[in-house]
């Protein structure tokens, strides 16, 4: 287990990297601008630093320069995670002192492996992310698997991918869509056991989607789970309650807590049908 500093101003990206590395047993420190990055690096002396390039106050190149000139911090592996894909940018990242480069969007399965490979053996994660279900654990835990159908609605592809893989790893058949219109056309063809939807969806928004589901005779009893990285406000909470939301999940969520929620909702559905 390593102490890792993640410097990233995009909240979704920061949450996702934090989720993945924390889940694998690393301890995470975060910073969302350049000055905070330097401050936290000096204060915590992390084992590895993951750093975005475009950042407020000091950019990634400036951060790299400062860190690589600090005798206490220059040996700490410094990894850039950035959307820049040009070869020239890659060279610039290397030349300014970064030890490695991971391009965005990050590969959910490979990310932890890539980070671990930059750490000394004794600091690598002891738990695997297990996003790709391992056949032996599946057969061993067959009784734990849930055979049901879910509709997953999320406009953020990385999180859609993550939840799809997590659900499939416990046997759920997932149809993943990126917007409300696609969700509605799926629902016209079939009724899933539950809907897992991002709360902050563009256009109509998650609440409007929930409203449509609850006002349709064929869909109104489908279990409906919202997820979001931010707390809903008081009015949104109230409206969700009126529309009979089944559950609200604050993301990122620990994998086992997430599975427990899905399992309890599924057993609730089964009880109702008996
Ligand atoms: Mn940025």
């Amino acid at each position: 287990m390593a102490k890792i500093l993640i410097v990233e101003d995009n909240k979704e990206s920061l949450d996702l990297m934090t989720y993945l590395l924390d889940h694998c047993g690393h301890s995470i420190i975060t910073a969302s601008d350049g000055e905070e990055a330097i401050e936290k690096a000096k204060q915590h002396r992390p084992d590895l630093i993951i750093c975005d390039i475009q950042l407020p106050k000091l950019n990634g190149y400036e951060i790299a320069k400062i860190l690589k000139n600090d005798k206490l911090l220059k040996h700490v592996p410094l990894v850039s995670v950035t959307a820049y894909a040009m070869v020239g940018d890659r060279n610039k990242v290397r030349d300014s002192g970064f030890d490695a480069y991971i391009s965005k969007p990050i590969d959910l399965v490979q990310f932890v492996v890539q980070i671990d490979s930059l750490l000394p053996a004794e600091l690598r994660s002891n738990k695997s992310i297990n996003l790709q279900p391992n056949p032996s654990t599946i057969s061993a835990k067959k009784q734990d698997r849930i055979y049901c159908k879910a509709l997953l609605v999320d406009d953020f592809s990385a999180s859609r991918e993550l939840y799809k893989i997590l659900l499939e790893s416990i046997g759920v058949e997932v149809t993943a869509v990126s917007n409300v219109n696609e969700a509605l056309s799926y629902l016209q063809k079939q009724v899933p056991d539950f809907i897992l939807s991002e709360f902050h969806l563009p256009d109509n928004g998650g609440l409007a989607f929930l409203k449509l589901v609850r006002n349709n005779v064929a869909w109104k009893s489908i279990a409906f789970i919202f997820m979001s990285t931010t707390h809903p406000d008081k009015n949104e909470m109230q409206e969700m309650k009126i529309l009979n939301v089944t559950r609200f999940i604050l993301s990122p969520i620990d994998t086992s807590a997430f599975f427990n929620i899905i399992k309890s909702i599924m057993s609730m559905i089964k009880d109702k049908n008996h």
Side-chain angles (χ1 to χ4, degrees):
M1 282 192 335
K3 193 161 44 163
I4 298 176
L5 170 63
I6 307 177
V7 188
E8 170 65 85
D9 60 328
N10 176 288
K11 194 176 181 309
E12 276 182 333
S13 222
L14 179 65
D15 285 347
L16 184 62
M17 288 189 275
T18 303
Y19 176 92
L20 292 169
L21 293 170
D22 173 77
H23 180 82
C24 290
H26 292 305
S27 91
I28 308 300
I29 303 146
T30 64
S32 55
D33 67 58
E35 284 170 8
E36 193 189 358
I38 302 296
E39 211 171 281
K40 294 263 176 90
K42 287 185 173 165
Q43 182 190 347
H44 296 278
R45 310 270 293 288
D47 301 305
L48 182 140
I49 300 170
I50 296 171
C51 189
D52 184 24
I53 297 295
Q54 286 194 303
L55 287 161
K57 296 182 186 174
L58 296 170
N59 67 31
Y61 305 120
E62 293 166 319
I63 294 171
K65 201 173 162 195
I66 295 169
L67 294 177
K68 292 302 176 187
N69 281 311
D70 184 310
K71 64 178 189 302
L72 292 174
L73 293 165
K74 67 178 175 195
H75 302 295
V76 178
L78 179 63
V79 188
S80 132
V81 174
T82 172
Y84 292 158
M86 308 289 286
V87 178
D89 291 325
R90 204 173 283 236
N91 291 340
K92 194 174 171 193
V93 166
R94 289 266 179 187
D95 293 345
S96 52
F98 283 92
D99 301 292
Y101 180 104
I102 294 174
S103 49
K104 270 194 229 169
I106 59 169
D107 179 319
L108 295 174
V109 176
Q110 282 306 309
F111 181 66
V112 175
V113 177
Q114 289 168 321
I115 296 300
D116 272 339
S117 73
L118 299 163
L119 288 165
E122 69 274 16
L123 292 178
R124 288 180 193 155
S125 57
N126 46 7
K127 279 187 266 176
S128 81
I129 187 79
N130 198 20
L131 286 176
Q132 270 177 336
N134 168 342
S136 66
T137 50
I138 290 170
S139 52
K141 288 184 151 189
K142 218 162 188 163
Q143 71 278 13
D144 288 343
R145 289 166 63 77
I146 309 166
Y147 295 96
C148 65
K149 268 190 210 166
L151 172 63
L152 172 63
V153 190
D154 197 328
D155 58 321
F156 181 47
S157 68
S159 117
R160 195 166 62 234
E161 182 93 350
L162 175 66
Y163 282 102
K164 185 173 197 281
I165 295 167
L166 287 176
L167 288 169
E168 283 174 347
S169 78
I170 53 167
V172 180
E173 193 187 315
V174 181
T175 300
V177 301
S178 59
N179 60 56
V180 174
N181 282 341
E182 282 173 21
L184 294 174
S185 62
Y186 168 90
L187 289 170
Q188 260 135 31
K189 281 173 244 138
Q190 52 189 315
V191 175
D193 296 296
F194 68 90
I195 295 170
L196 176 62
S197 173
E198 164 62 40
F199 183 69
H200 297 284
L201 288 170
D203 305 325
N204 294 326
L207 276 174
F209 175 43
L210 174 59
K211 204 172 209 167
L212 287 170
V213 170
R214 289 294 181 248
N215 286 329
N216 182 301
V217 187
W219 307 336
K220 68 177 182 193
S221 53
I222 302 173
F224 195 110
I225 309 161
F226 267 136
M227 55 183 167
S228 173
T229 51
T230 51
H231 268 291
D233 66 30
K234 223 175 161 189
N235 291 338
E236 290 169 335
M237 284 290 271
Q238 183 71 18
E239 196 162 350
M240 252 189 268
K241 226 174 168 181
I242 294 167
L243 292 168
N244 195 20
V245 74
T246 312
R247 190 71 196 239
F248 185 92
I249 294 175
L250 205 55
S251 180
I253 179 173
D254 175 75
T255 314
S256 59
F258 176 67
F259 288 159
N260 285 338
I261 290 172
I262 300 300
K263 282 173 189 168
S264 75
I265 287 171
M266 286 317 298
S267 65
M268 190 183 79
I269 294 169
K270 265 191 217 148
D271 291 346
K272 236 186 350 194
N273 296 344
H274 273 247

